Amino acid sequence: MKYIGCNGKLILLVGVVMLFGFSCSLVSDGCGQRFSKEYCDDPFWISQIGDTYTYRIRNASVDGDSIAIEFKGFCGRDTVWELISNRDVLLPYELDISHVQAEVLKLVLIHEGTGGIRTIYSNGMDRLAPIELTPGKHTIKLIGYSAQGNLRMKMDIPLGVLAIDRFTDRW
């Protein structure tokens, strides 16, 4: 066996420290550098058209006018419904969000024409009042940072409203 000198030990130590530091950076909260927790409170970022997200796990199912999502390691904004209304209307819904562990988790309604945002759910708050829709296109988005849990949302779609969930071929 060959003797490793003082310089060799130093190089080996530096290499081990660099390897450990690199491997720890890969085991973060899963949000990486693409997302910041502060984005979740930024109306401009929330109301942008399009989605930007990461999930470690996402299982979604659809049953008529109902969606269910089980998720882990969620960061970003993800559209779950698109609603198009031709008149002012109230949209009744049932919302069940359970097993939540999150730094931030919100469900918001966005009017795409005005950029107006209305919070439907925010960390522990249940809102059971019907969603007020005005004429135009709306989206319901899940906003989160380092979030996991289960979401089930069932809507009673009135006449004059087209609802398209994100998880079927209709999208």
Side-chain angles (χ1 to χ4, degrees), residues 130-149:
I131 297 170
E132 298 174 24
L133 296 179
T134 56
K137 184 176 174 182
H138 304 264
T139 53
I140 295 178
K141 292 187 180 195
L142 189 61
I143 308 293
Y145 188 83
S146 191
Q148 70 177 28

Side-chain angles (χ1 to χ4, degrees), residues 68-134:
I69 309 168
E70 173 190 2
F71 56 93
K72 291 184 180 177
F74 170 60
C75 293
R77 71 174 181 269
D78 188 11
T79 301
V80 294
W81 289 98
E82 181 178 288
L83 306 166
I84 301 170
S85 178
N86 62 9
R87 61 189 175 94
D88 289 336
V89 66
L90 294 177
L91 176 64
Y93 67 95
E94 296 173 20
L95 180 64
D96 179 28
I97 298 180
S98 60
H99 306 303
V100 173
Q101 293 180 2
E103 290 190 45
V104 177
L105 184 65
K106 297 179 185 182
L107 192 64
V108 298
L109 174 74
I110 301 165
H111 186 286
E112 290 199 6
T114 65
I117 301 170
R118 178 173 172 233
T119 301
I120 298 170
Y121 170 88
S122 180
N123 287 9
M125 169 200 94
D126 283 326
R127 183 178 218 147
L128 299 175
I131 297 170
E132 298 174 24
L133 296 179
T134 56

Side-chain angles (χ1 to χ4, degrees), residues 36-43 45-46 76 104 106 143-145:
S36 167
K37 184 177 172 182
E38 288 73 32
Y39 288 173
C40 297
D41 292 320
D42 180 357
W45 184 80
I46 291 171
V104 177
K106 297 179 185 182
I143 308 293
Y145 188 83

Side-chain angles (χ1 to χ4, degrees), residues 50-72:
D51 297 329
T52 178
Y53 57 83
T54 61
Y55 285 94
R56 202 165 355 120
I57 296 172
R58 178 180 68 187
N59 296 313
S61 62
V62 179
D63 183 20
D65 294 331
S66 178
I67 60 168
I69 309 168
E70 173 190 2
F71 56 93
K72 291 184 180 177

